[in-house]
Amino acid sequence: GQNIDQPTEMTATEGAIVQINCTYQTSGFNGLFWYQQHAGEAPTFLSYNVLDGLEEKGRFSSFLSRSKGYSYLLLKELQMKDSASYLCAVRDSNYQLIWGAGTKLIIKP
Amino acid sequence: DTEVTQTPKHLVMGMTNKKSLKCEQHMGHRAMYWYKQKAKKPPELMFVYSYEKLSINESVPSRFSPECPNSSLLNLHLHALQPEDSALYLCASSHEGAADEQFFGPGTRLTVL
């Protein structure tokens, strides 16, 4: 079967750094996406990894290890507005997006 | 124009009603998607249109009927829904197909009484 695991909930402090992990087992791999979703709103694209390594985009970075079936999203200099759910999604061999259940990130002052 | 729009934002309907959700994008994207999302769950893919043709139907009940009148518009016709169909319905589009990043609309919050 296809499976994507990420923590259900994490808490971090404003100004700090947090790493959200995602592990996956899918039939094939054609890229991994991270999306941010605020409560009641649509997901918005954060990052895309298809090769191993780190992709940096401002305060957000995403890392991929295909051999380990592992990715993480790193958020630096946390702001209150970063409180949201973070969804990991993998594109399988059929180019279908398989979604993780999401990690709810709570930022405290 | 770099957004996907959806109407209405909220919809309340009875089980005998017929209603439609609408989605529009003017980014020249040729793939469009309907997702259903329940609270605290990830989006569930319902339908994919590619070049205005239905390419994926994820075994969705026939009370949901998609329609793609042209490359910019995507509709979801609703008839005889059940209360468990209450959810956030998200439309998304991508440049050519599943190989590309998907852009999501704001969603329609549907409540079935």
Side-chain angles (χ1 to χ4, degrees), chain A residues 16-66:
Chain A
I17 299 173
V18 71
Q19 177 175 312
I20 302 174
N21 295 327
C22 170
T23 58
Y24 61 89
Q25 292 175 304
T26 55
S27 54
F29 178 84
N30 281 298
L32 185 144
F33 294 83
W34 283 97
Y35 281 84
Q36 179 191 62
Q37 187 173 25
H38 286 96
E41 299 182 11
T44 54
F45 170 78
L46 289 178
S47 69
Y48 170 67
N49 296 71
V50 67
L51 299 176
D52 290 350
L54 189 68
E55 295 280 342
E56 296 185 80
K57 192 187 286 187
R59 294 189 300 115
F60 294 2
S61 304
S62 57
F63 171 83
L64 175 68
S65 169
R66 288 171 296 171

Side-chain angles (χ1 to χ4, degrees), chain A residues 33 35 37 40-43 45 48 87 91 94-97 99-102, chain B residues 35 37 40 42-43 45 56 58 88 90 98-102 104-106 109:
Chain A
F33 294 83
Y35 281 84
Q37 187 173 25
E41 299 182 11
F45 170 78
Y48 170 67
L87 297 155
R91 204 157 53 198
N94 293 321
Y95 284 87
Q96 291 242 53
L97 267 185
W99 293 82
Chain B
Y35 286 89
Q37 187 175 27
K40 300 183 181 180
L45 183 65
I56 294 176
E58 291 286 356
L88 180 68
L90 294 162
D100 303 304
E101 166 201 343
Q102 294 181 22
F104 284 84
R109 175 71 60 187

Side-chain angles (χ1 to χ4, degrees), chain A residues 62-106:
Chain A
S62 57
F63 171 83
L64 175 68
S65 169
R66 288 171 296 171
S67 61
K68 295 181 179 178
Y70 167 70
S71 172
Y72 68 72
L73 180 70
L74 191 72
L75 294 78
K76 302 176 186 175
E77 301 169 18
L78 286 170
Q79 303 175 8
M80 297 304 291
K81 67 178 182 181
D82 297 329
S83 292
S85 287
Y86 291 85
L87 297 155
C88 173
V90 173
R91 204 157 53 198
D92 68 9
S93 56
N94 293 321
Y95 284 87
Q96 291 242 53
L97 267 185
I98 312 300
W99 293 82
T103 297
K104 183 179 179 180
L105 178 64
I106 299 168

Side-chain angles (χ1 to χ4, degrees), chain B residues 68-104:
Chain B
C68 189
N70 60 55
S71 60
S72 299
L73 294 174
L74 186 66
N75 298 323
L76 185 63
H77 303 298
L78 313 173
H79 174 54
L81 294 194
Q82 304 296 311
E84 60 263 30
D85 296 323
S86 298
L88 180 68
Y89 287 83
L90 294 162
C91 174
S93 70
S94 63
H95 181 57
E96 291 236 313
D100 303 304
E101 166 201 343
Q102 294 181 22
F103 292 80
F104 284 84

